């Protein structure tokens, strides 16, 4: 089991910045991938950024060069630095951890944190 607690959401004007944090606890040694997803009203949840246990990263095209995902292994925390925010970035942001055991994947989710970007 993995527990995830997010923080750092809020209201910001377009062009501003926010940093989201996701603190993991529990069976963290088994986490292979940490990701940030978001879900806007009336839309499906989508992957924003991911980082593997090896430090490889992947981003949604629309956030490349604006968002940066990073991890602090000593604090068991993953961050999402969001710069040059746009109104279309408004969504609930969820932290996800994926545990891979053999051929099985297990996904754990945080409670979500609201990000609202005003124009």
């Amino acid at each position: 089991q993995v527990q995830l607690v997010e923080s750092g959401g809020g209201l910001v004007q377009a062009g501003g910045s926010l940093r989201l944090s996701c603190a993991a606890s529990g069976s963290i040694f088994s986490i292979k991938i940490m990701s940030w997803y978001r879900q806007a009203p009336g839309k499906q949840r989508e992957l924003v950024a991911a980082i593997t246990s090896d430090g490889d990263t992947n981003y949604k095209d629309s956030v490349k060069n604006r968002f940066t995902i990073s991890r602090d292994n000593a604090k068991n925390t993953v961050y999402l630095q969001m710069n040059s925010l746009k109104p279309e970035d408004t969504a609930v942001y969820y932290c996800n951890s994926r545990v891979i055991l053999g051929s099985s994947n297990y996904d754990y989710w945080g409670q979500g944190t609201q990000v609202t970007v005003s124009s």
Side-chain angles (χ1 to χ4, degrees):
Q1 290 284 341
V2 174
Q3 294 79 43
L4 303 171
V5 178
E6 301 126 334
S7 60
L11 173 64
V12 65
Q13 288 189 332
S17 298
L18 284 174
R19 188 177 80 157
L20 306 182
S21 300
C22 174
S25 61
S27 301
I28 57 175
F29 61 89
S30 57
I31 297 174
K32 295 303 181 184
I33 304 170
M34 294 289 294
S35 306
W36 286 97
Y37 285 74
R38 68 186 182 189
Q39 187 166 20
K43 295 188 177 181
Q44 289 189 334
R45 191 172 296 190
E46 61 182 8
L47 176 65
V48 176
I51 186 166
T52 70
S53 55
D54 295 328
D56 295 328
T57 58
N58 182 47
Y59 295 92
K60 177 180 173 61
D61 284 347
S62 64
V63 308
K64 285 180 180 177
N65 301 316
R66 297 191 299 123
F67 291 9
T68 302
I69 190 169
S70 62
R71 60 195 298 164
D72 185 333
N73 291 329
K75 295 182 178 180
N76 299 321
T77 300
V78 173
Y79 304 97
L80 185 67
Q81 178 66 44
M82 304 185 293
N83 299 328
S84 302
L85 282 161
K86 304 176 181 180
E88 51 264 42
D89 294 319
T90 296
V92 178
Y93 284 70
Y94 296 91
C95 181
N96 168 275
S97 68
R98 172 158 291 185
V99 172
I100 301 175
L101 297 175
S103 59
S104 299
N105 297 333
Y106 301 90
D107 282 314
Y108 299 91
W109 295 92
Q111 79 284 2
T113 185
Q114 177 70 47
V115 171
T116 302
V117 184
S118 63
S119 56

